[in-house]
Amino acid sequence: MLRSLVGSEMCIRDRWSEVVDVSRGAQPGIMTTLHGHGLLMLEARASKTWFGDGLSFLGEQQQRAVSEALSSATGKFSEVDSLIVASPVPVGFLSPASTKKMMGIVDDLKGLWGAYHRDLYNFVGDLLAWKRAKPGRELVVAGGDVHLGAHSDLFLDGKYFCGQLTTSAIHNERLGYLSLIHI
């Protein structure tokens, strides 16, 4: 058992070697396959901190790479039937209109997909094109950093699009009963 756990750990470490070296000016993110499934791990901090002017969620270079990877003909994910997308924040959370309206009140909302509606529509369009290119494809989006946990079904034009898992710290202070028992 221990040997298989160590082997798995080594495999995971090896997968991380695919991270692009941002010190050389490349846009970060991971696009790989794992046991026949596509794994797309997005990085949004660098496009706002090191690349561009903060006007893009993923940055132009990473968005172009993601679009190419999702391309139905020759993309990295053209042969897989299931894709897991790990996004820093949920793709389906607040609408762009709601996000923009509340950004003046809640500064954290500037980090959501909805604050970059053009990027959101382009990204969802790429995911939809990938999914429609081959019948039976499955897509799951995982995101966090919004202080709640949820499982959602996302719909486009009234039709099921994908499942979404949201996982993040719910609160950074003791709550209710937990504060009474001093946990």
Side-chain angles (χ1 to χ4, degrees):
M1 179 74 164
L2 180 59
R3 184 180 182 135
S4 66
L5 288 173
V6 172
S8 296
E9 184 179 337
M10 284 194 248
C11 177
I12 291 169
R13 285 182 185 159
D14 186 54
R15 290 285 175 190
W16 283 104
S17 67
E18 296 183 31
V19 176
V20 177
D21 183 357
V22 296
S23 67
R24 296 196 173 124
Q27 188 72 28
I30 296 176
M31 295 172 221
T32 190
T33 57
L34 184 62
H35 305 295
H37 305 281
L39 179 60
L40 173 58
M41 297 177 71
L42 305 174
E43 203 296 321
R45 177 69 63 193
S47 66
K48 298 176 189 81
T49 305
W50 298 312
F51 305 105
D53 53 13
L55 298 177
S56 172
F57 188 79
L58 296 178
E60 189 175 317
Q61 187 176 357
Q62 184 177 198
Q63 180 59 53
R64 189 172 38 255
V66 167
S67 292
E68 289 171 9
L70 293 169
S71 161
S72 60
T74 59
K76 177 87 172 175
F77 302 123
S78 62
E79 299 298 318
V80 298
D81 293 330
S82 59
L83 179 63
I84 300 166
V85 176
S87 174
V89 293
V91 171
F93 189 61
L94 295 174
S95 71
S98 296
T99 303
K100 295 271 188 204
K101 191 175 197 178
M102 296 186 328
M103 277 187 342
I105 302 166
V106 182
D107 193 43
D108 279 354
L109 297 181
K110 292 177 183 175
L112 297 179
W113 276 99
Y116 303 87
H117 69 276
R118 187 193 75 214
D119 294 350
L120 173 63
Y121 292 130
N122 289 339
F123 181 59
V124 169
D126 288 342
L127 291 173
L128 184 60
W130 172 84
K131 189 170 179 183
R132 287 181 174 168
K134 189 174 177 187
R137 282 186 162 167
E138 292 295 330
L139 172 64
V140 174
V141 176
D145 200 25
V146 292
H147 306 287
L148 59 87
H151 172 260
S152 310
D153 289 330
L154 303 184
F155 290 80
L156 290 174
D157 298 323
K159 295 180 183 175
Y160 176 79
F161 172 57
C162 70
Q164 178 173 265
L165 304 172
T166 304
T167 177
S168 58
I170 294 175
H171 203 273
N172 61 1
E173 297 175 13
R174 292 183 190 168
L175 298 174
Y177 174 74
L178 297 178
S179 65
L180 293 175
I181 60 172
H182 304 289
I183 291 181

